[in-house]
Amino acid sequence: MGLEWDSRLSLVAGSAAASLEKAFGYRTVGDLLTHYPRRYVDKGSVSDLGSLRLDEQITVVARVQRSEQRAYPDRRRGGMAYRLEVTVATEQDTLVLTFFDKRKHLADWRARTITEGSTGLFSGKVGRFRDRWQLTNPQTKLFAAQSGEAGEAGADRALAEFEEMPNLLTIYPATAALQSWQIGDTVTLALEMLERVPDTLPEPVRVAHGLVTAEQALRWVHRPDSWAQKGAAEKRLRFEEAFVTQTILVQRRARLQGLQATPRPGRADGLLDRFAQRLPFTLTAGQVDVGQEILGDLAAPHPMHRLLQGEVGSGKTVVALQAMLRVVDSGGQAALLAPTEVLAQQHHRSLTALLGDLAAGGMLGGDAEGTQVGLLTGSMGAAARRSTLLDVASGAVGLVVGTHALLEDLVQFADLGLVVVDEQHRFGVEQRAALSAKARNRTPHVLVMTATPIPRTVAMTVFGDLETSTLVELPRGRAPIQTTVVGLLDHPDWVQRVWARIREEVGAGRQCYVVCPRIGDGATQVSAEESPAQDPDVSPKVSPRAGPKVRSGDSADSPGSDEPVPPAGVEETAAMLEAGPLSDLKVARLHGRLSAEDKESTMRAFSVGEVDVLVATTVIEVGVDVANATTMVILDADRFGVSQLHQLRGRVGRGEHGGLCLLLTRADVESPAGERLAAVAGTTDGFALSRLDLEQRREGDVLGATQSGRRSGLRLLSVIRHEDVIVAARAAASEVVAVDQELGDHPDLARAVARLHESEQADYLEKA
Ligand code: ADP
Ligand code: MG
């Protein structure tokens, strides 16, 4: 029996299989063959050490002149670590190679292989150490190493071996224990032994897009003879990645359209009509259009799956409320799922307020046909919780707002017709699925709302089974937010002007937020609530190594100490403001370590104006809505992601007064961090910022896959750069699925789809 795509890796990799699984999670031959080279080196361009530049990637053929192992105490881990210092020479010059190993057996193995007189190919990034050029942990291939030949004979053999290598050398992502060259050898063997390369692209699709076969692509990506071959291979493989992903999404959408849902056509003079009559403002044209779209979806006998995106303040909540009322008018219930307790409480308050007596159904003074709005969060007392649960189960509560507490098994609905998920980017797909499962035999309609604008291709890839609607305009009369970067590195005294500005605003009757990256007071980590795993950008980067070099505002700091100043914390900052610059104002704190009641009462006090200045973590990022708050000061703003800053500042300027956002930073304004802040200050276009944000993240992060250390499955496709490929693949996949939904005529594609389902990637694609 020959080697197949799904064969176990050990059949070809032997003992390296375990290392490959450990390092990359690979189990099959197919996994290995989709481990594409990270870099290609033209053999002709192998460097001669003539003119090295810092950070340049080089590959050299050189001879080892000296090789010496040193052991040193490893301060971070304890115990010893090892360093192999090697000097290699070409005919022109010498270069230092330094290899670091934590484990002795690896270090010893390295010292035994890289010995004086041996010749090898070394590849890495040029660094500088003690005035000499150096490569740190370069990828290394020694020639004729086994034979132990040294001297002239060895050098000759090495040269011959080098001559025999292909024109383009491939450098693979590798680890200390598993060298690029070893991986390359295993790949070569697998390519030779493989019986048949499955081809996921239907022939007409492949031909129509001018792509090479899978077999050709695989050989060319791993063993190209020319850059043209490498390019053709990548083009094909990239398309294939998009095509398989899109096939899954198109299939899923087709299946959803085949599911049954209870139509919710509403009724005349119901809650929705009466609510519309009493709205205190005119809906924007966008709100009207999107509202109609959604009501249309709800009336259909198939489940709605719609993504509603719109800037902070664009009025998504009102649109969602209309949809929820329509469902109640049709005899069903609606659930609104919020990512944090603060936001759930806020939604509960604002829905109740918007509905007025319509939300007091069955109560004295309430509307006879009105409904009730329930709240369900994790920290509620047992009695309140039990009573809400009963009302949800009996149907007395038509609208229920909650956090993930809504997802627990105990919560049973009388007739759940609609699930609204607010701020999607913080919600896992599994959580949405859990709530859908509560509608027993019929699938509820689902509306997902997000304020983080999602570029089209990301939407197509991540939410490809959802229809999307976008609210582009903000309600009229909204004054724009002015954003300014305050660089404290050069002007430490400016911080005093910032506090003076806050005093002025409060003097004029307004309120302010001061946002800090940390809770502080000894707690270096923010709570899980504030830093959900879904958004890697949320967790402040407090690691002193990763953080930018910051200098304290006052230079009384102990000189010579290299310890970076920790980012601002809520507790210290509030205490400092109360004791000094804002001592005459009412300052309050809000963060995830407070109890739910404290959070609730603080928010309430702030929203009725009893608190002037709210010092908070990103807990206020989403949804908090206090129209009288006009100024936001963000401390150590460089610690936040671009989209997050945009979200945060959306909290001010919600009323008729113009908003002001001050981004304070101790980072150099010329540094990349400083430039990011300048970009935020320079535009209020959320889409542009979201793109910038995505570009700075790794692809897997964009897809939300790496937070749990999982692989995104996309190697060559970038959802940011390859929009055209995704669009073309989407169209091709739609055509194929339209004719053959379950892919009976496309067994290779069906298998690739099944593999993707099984792989962890399916976790984030899976929504059903
Ligand atoms: P989002 O959830 O999209 O951030 P909200 O729905 O919370 O926005 O709306 C923000 C604020 O604007 C709320 O106070 C809301 O009542 C108000 N609002 C919504 N639509 C309009 C409109 N058409 N005209 C004026 N104000 C509006
Ligand atoms: Mg909102």
Side-chain angles (χ1 to χ4, degrees):
M1 193 194 73
L3 199 66
E4 288 171 37
W5 191 258
D6 285 322
S7 297
R8 275 180 303 117
L9 195 48
S10 54
L11 291 180
V12 57
S15 60
S19 313
L20 282 164
E21 174 158 7
K22 186 153 173 271
F24 305 108
Y26 298 159
R27 300 213 174 114
T28 66
V29 172
D31 290 340
L32 174 70
L33 290 178
T34 43
H35 186 72
Y36 305 134
R38 187 173 42 146
R39 217 153 46 80
Y40 296 82
V41 178
D42 208 325
K43 216 164 73 175
S45 77
V46 165
S47 316
D48 59 5
L49 301 186
S51 53
L52 293 183
R53 269 173 293 120
L54 198 61
D55 289 341
E56 179 186 22
Q57 283 286 354
I58 62 159
T59 301
V60 293
V61 175
R63 176 138 189 217
V64 177
Q65 278 187 334
R66 196 181 67 92
S67 173
E68 222 168 310
Q69 189 190 74
R70 294 183 195 279
Y72 61 96
D74 185 335
R75 281 204 204 87
R76 288 235 314 271
R77 291 166 56 249
M80 298 302 277
Y82 305 87
R83 185 171 70 225
L84 188 67
E85 295 175 354
V86 177
T87 308
V88 297
T90 64
E91 279 167 18
Q92 279 77 23
D93 209 344
T94 62
L95 182 67
V96 176
L97 314 178
T98 310
F99 297 88
F100 293 94
D101 284 302
K102 292 188 186 119
R103 284 196 246 122
K104 182 146 189 7
H105 71 273
L106 269 180
D108 288 346
W109 163 79
R110 206 180 297 286
R112 276 199 310 275
T113 40
I114 307 180
T115 51
E116 275 168 40
S118 54
T119 301
L121 196 54
F122 306 96
S123 182
K125 195 156 99 177
V126 178
R128 197 104 179 123
F129 185 68
R130 294 207 178 121
D131 284 336
R132 296 199 56 188
W133 296 113
Q134 160 177 274
L135 301 182
T136 304
N137 296 328
Q139 294 297 322
T140 300
K141 179 178 177 61
L142 292 172
F143 299 123
Q146 317 82 318
S147 68
E149 286 172 298
E152 286 303 310
D156 283 352
R157 180 186 292 264
L159 209 58
E161 210 174 307
F162 180 65
E163 293 297 333
E164 277 167 26
M165 295 174 80
N167 282 334
L168 285 183
L169 308 177
T170 44
I171 311 283
Y172 288 90
T175 67
L178 202 61
Q179 290 271 308
S180 164
W181 312 104
Q182 271 173 286
I183 296 174
D185 290 346
T186 314
V187 166
T188 303
L189 192 61
L191 281 173
E192 274 167 24
M193 290 168 65
L194 192 63
E195 295 256 294
R196 186 185 77 90
V197 179
D199 204 323
T200 56
L201 292 185
E203 185 71 5
V205 172
R206 187 180 72 71
V207 173
H209 291 87
L211 303 170
V212 298
T213 63
E215 153 108 42
Q216 190 73 101
L218 214 55
R219 290 189 190 286
W220 281 356
V221 79
H222 289 293
R223 296 290 165 262
D225 275 331
S226 66
W227 292 102
Q229 288 184 355
K230 171 206 171 257
E234 286 183 347
K235 182 178 169 200
R236 143 84 205 206
L237 296 168
R238 184 176 296 131
F239 187 92
E240 178 171 344
E241 286 175 7
F243 182 73
V244 174
T245 312
Q246 291 301 326
T247 300
I248 291 189
L249 295 168
V250 171
Q251 261 186 324
R252 186 163 299 146
R253 178 182 284 200
R255 288 192 195 122
L256 277 174
Q257 276 157 1
L259 287 178
Q260 301 296 306
T262 309
R264 310 284 179 175
R267 60 192 163 89
D269 301 323
L271 292 173
L272 179 54
D273 287 353
R274 270 179 290 159
F275 171 70
Q277 281 155 19
R278 67 170 65 180
L279 256 187
F281 44 73
T282 320
L283 294 177
T284 64
Q287 284 173 316
V288 172
D289 290 348
V290 172
Q292 287 307 322
E293 247 173 352
I294 293 174
L295 296 187
D297 287 353
L298 291 175
H302 306 293
M304 167 174 80
H305 259 222
R306 187 170 285 279
L307 176 71
L308 171 56
Q309 35 181 351
E311 289 267 357
V312 169
S314 58
K316 298 182 293 295
T317 312
V318 180
V319 173
L321 180 55
Q322 290 180 303
M324 295 194 278
L325 292 176
R326 167 56 58 94
V327 169
V328 174
D329 278 342
S330 315
Q333 290 166 294
L336 172 57
L337 211 50
T340 66
E341 211 149 280
V342 168
L343 190 53
Q345 287 161 353
Q346 156 113 15
H347 270 313
H348 182 249
R349 257 200 317 277
S350 64
L351 293 190
T352 310
L354 275 168
L355 288 170
D357 62 341
L358 297 179
M363 281 182 237
L364 209 59
D367 187 287
E369 294 181 56
T371 185
Q372 288 178 33
V373 185
L375 175 68
L376 204 62
T377 64
S379 64
M380 278 168 67
R385 192 176 157 75
R386 203 167 317 121
S387 122
T388 307
L389 283 173
L390 283 174
D391 288 343
V392 172
S394 73
V397 160
L399 308 183
V400 52
V401 182
T403 53
H404 41 263
L406 265 182
L407 303 175
E408 285 163 22
D409 288 342
L410 289 172
V411 185
Q412 292 302 336
F413 290 80
D415 178 11
L416 180 60
L418 170 66
V419 178
V420 178
V421 182
D422 196 12
E423 306 301 347
Q424 151 66 29
H425 64 295
R426 295 189 157 205
F427 251 114
V429 161
E430 307 79 12
Q431 294 169 312
R432 243 193 293 156
L435 198 56
S436 289
K438 294 194 173 295
R440 308 216 185 93
N441 39 19
R442 297 217 151 195
T443 319
H445 300 281
V446 174
L447 179 66
V448 175
M449 302 197 289
T450 177
T452 308
I454 302 169
R456 178 159 162 261
T457 48
V458 178
M460 276 175 72
T461 310
V462 185
F463 304 106
D465 60 343
L466 304 185
E467 309 282 342
T468 52
S469 304
T470 307
L471 290 176
V472 282
E473 63 188 321
L474 296 183
R476 220 164 319 186
R478 197 68 49 78
I481 302 166
Q482 190 208 323
T483 305
T484 305
V485 180
V486 181
L488 297 178
L489 183 62
D490 295 325
H491 305 280
D493 51 312
W494 280 1
V495 72
Q496 295 310 327
R497 293 204 223 165
V498 169
W499 307 134
R501 180 68 198 250
I502 287 190
R503 278 197 307 274
E504 274 169 41
E505 288 289 324
V506 173
R510 315 264 174 270
Q511 291 160 279
C512 304
Y513 299 101
V514 175
V515 182
C516 305
R518 289 189 313 138
I519 295 173
D521 200 22
T524 48
Q525 285 298 318
V526 292
S527 73
E529 179 198 345
E530 289 162 57
S531 175
Q534 278 90 338
D535 192 345
D537 249 357
V538 172
S539 59
K541 296 145 189 118
V542 287
S543 142
R545 302 185 66 229
K549 268 223 165 70
V550 284
R551 201 157 81 196
S552 170
D554 55 54
S555 45
D557 237 44
S558 59
S561 146
D562 244 3
E563 279 300 296
V565 181
V570 170
E571 292 290 347
E572 297 97 273
T573 304
M576 180 276 288
L577 292 174
E578 280 167 337
L582 306 182
S583 57
D584 47 338
L585 307 185
K586 273 162 286 170
V587 175
R589 303 153 164 80
L590 186 71
H591 56 67
R593 250 197 296 140
L594 300 174
S595 71
E597 297 96 84
D598 286 352
K599 276 189 268 188
E600 166 81 26
S601 71
T602 301
M603 270 320 295
R604 204 183 285 279
F606 188 66
S607 61
V608 299
E610 284 166 12
V611 166
D612 300 318
V613 178
L614 189 63
V615 185
T617 56
T618 53
V619 75
I620 60 153
E621 179 189 359
V622 281
V624 170
D625 186 11
V626 176
N628 192 46
T630 50
T631 302
M632 175 175 286
V633 173
I634 304 182
L635 299 180
D636 290 313
D638 48 284
R639 299 296 176 126
F640 298 97
V642 165
S643 289
Q644 201 179 13
L645 290 170
H646 183 61
Q647 293 270 80
L648 280 167
R649 70 178 163 181
R651 303 293 123 220
V652 291
R654 306 204 100 196
E656 73 266 35
H657 316 288
L660 174 68
C661 176
L662 299 174
L663 304 176
L664 272 57
T665 178
R666 292 178 283 188
D668 186 346
V669 289
E670 309 259 305
S671 68
E675 281 165 13
R676 270 192 310 145
L677 297 183
V680 175
T683 180
T684 50
D685 178 348
F687 272 91
L689 291 174
S690 165
R691 236 189 141 78
L692 182 71
D693 206 7
L694 293 173
E695 276 162 14
Q696 294 183 343
R697 297 194 197 183
R698 299 221 326 281
E699 199 68 17
D701 296 338
V702 173
L703 296 178
T706 47
Q707 325 93 20
S708 46
R710 291 168 176 165
R711 292 176 290 124
S712 75
L714 302 186
R715 307 279 149 88
L716 297 169
L717 184 74
S718 156
V719 292
I720 298 150
R721 280 177 291 125
H722 301 127
E723 175 164 354
D724 49 344
V725 178
I726 295 174
V727 171
R730 172 72 160 205
S734 300
E735 279 176 33
V736 170
V737 172
V739 180
D740 179 15
Q741 187 174 322
E742 297 310 317
L743 307 175
D745 295 334
H746 303 283
D748 281 345
L749 177 57
R751 262 191 295 276
V753 162
R755 265 194 299 270
L756 196 53
H757 266 299
E758 280 162 26
S759 84
E760 291 107 335
Q761 189 194 16
D763 270 319
Y764 75 85
L765 288 170
E766 190 65 59
K767 299 186 172 93

